[in-house]
Amino acid sequence: MKETEIQVLKIIEKNANLSVAKIAKMMGKSEQEIQQVIDDLEDKKAILGYSTLIDWAKVVEHEEVTAMVDVKVTPARGVGFDKVAERIYRFPEVKAVYLMSGAYDLSVTVNGKTMMDIGKFISEKLSALDSVLSTTTHFVLKRYKHDGFILEDDDEDDKRIVVSP
C-alpha cells in the first residue's frame, strides 16, 4: 500500500467527517488525487464504511446494555474458526467478533435492551450452536474510552482534595 493511502486512512480513521478538500490541504495534494485515493481504498475494501462514535450514556431516552462474551469453541475441520465466527457474527445482536489467544477462542460483543435480553441470546442462540463449548459473559458497566476517544466530561471540576506539603 502506498504511503499516501496510509496517510489518508490514518486521517479519516481519526475523523471521517473531514471533507476531501480539507484532507487534500492537510496532505498538500489535489482534491482530485485524494478523491481517487479514497475511491480506490473503498473499491479494495480497505475502507468498509464510515461511522459516528456516540456517547449513548448522554442520550437519556436510550438505554442499551453491552456485554463481552468469551466463547470456547470447537473449530471446524478444514476452515478452523472462520465458519464458527461467521455463524456467530450473523446474529443481529452481535456487534463484533474477534479470534483471541488465551483461554477462550472468540470474543463476542453483544448489545441488547436489557441484561435479560443478552442472557436470552446467549442461552438460546449462542450456546445452542453445536461448536460452542462454553461462554463467560462480562457486562459493560461504564465506558471510559472507545476507539481512541475519551468519553468523560472535560467540563467537570476536579473534585480531588489539594494536598500540599
Side-chain angles (χ1 to χ4, degrees):
M1 194 168 273
K2 299 175 191 167
E3 184 61 31
T4 302
E5 292 174 322
I6 292 169
Q7 286 178 321
V8 168
L9 289 171
K10 286 182 179 182
I11 290 169
I12 63 175
E13 182 179 40
K14 288 183 181 173
N15 186 355
N17 199 32
L18 291 174
S19 67
V20 172
K22 181 100 173 176
I23 297 169
K25 187 173 183 179
M26 291 169 67
M27 295 181 62
K29 307 275 185 186
S30 72
E31 288 182 41
Q32 294 78 15
E33 183 179 356
I34 296 303
Q35 186 61 62
Q36 185 60 53
V37 168
I38 291 172
D39 291 344
D40 290 346
L41 290 167
E42 288 173 347
D43 290 343
K44 291 181 199 174
K45 303 278 190 234
I47 298 174
L48 297 174
Y50 302 89
S51 64
T52 303
L53 178 61
I54 299 169
D55 187 354
W56 287 107
K58 293 192 171 116
V59 181
V60 179
E61 299 81 25
H62 180 81
E63 290 190 27
E64 188 172 70
V65 178
T66 301
M68 312 296 267
V69 185
D70 298 327
V71 184
K72 184 80 173 156
V73 301
T74 303
R77 186 177 303 276
V79 291
F81 296 100
D82 294 347
K83 286 293 180 193
V84 179
E86 182 180 349
R87 287 196 64 199
I88 293 171
Y89 70 61
R90 293 206 178 276
F91 289 115
E93 298 90 344
V94 174
K95 300 302 170 203
V97 178
Y98 304 98
L99 179 62
M100 306 296 289
S101 64
Y104 289 87
D105 303 309
L106 300 173
S107 178
V108 180
T109 304
V110 180
N111 285 0
K113 292 218 178 278
T114 65
M115 288 178 151
M116 292 291 285
D117 288 341
I118 291 175
K120 188 175 179 178
F121 165 75
I122 292 168
S123 65
E124 294 178 7
K125 295 180 181 177
L126 184 61
S127 294
L129 296 174
D130 291 337
S131 54
V132 172
L133 301 174
S134 66
T135 63
T136 301
T137 304
H138 311 275
F139 287 97
V140 175
L141 302 177
K142 183 176 180 179
R143 295 172 200 253
Y144 295 100
K145 187 175 182 178
H146 185 79
D147 283 344
F149 289 93
I150 297 171
L151 302 176
E152 290 289 302
D153 286 332
D154 292 335
D155 300 342
E156 290 186 28
D157 294 332
D158 189 352
K159 294 184 177 47
R160 296 180 289 176
I161 299 172
V162 176
V163 178
S164 59

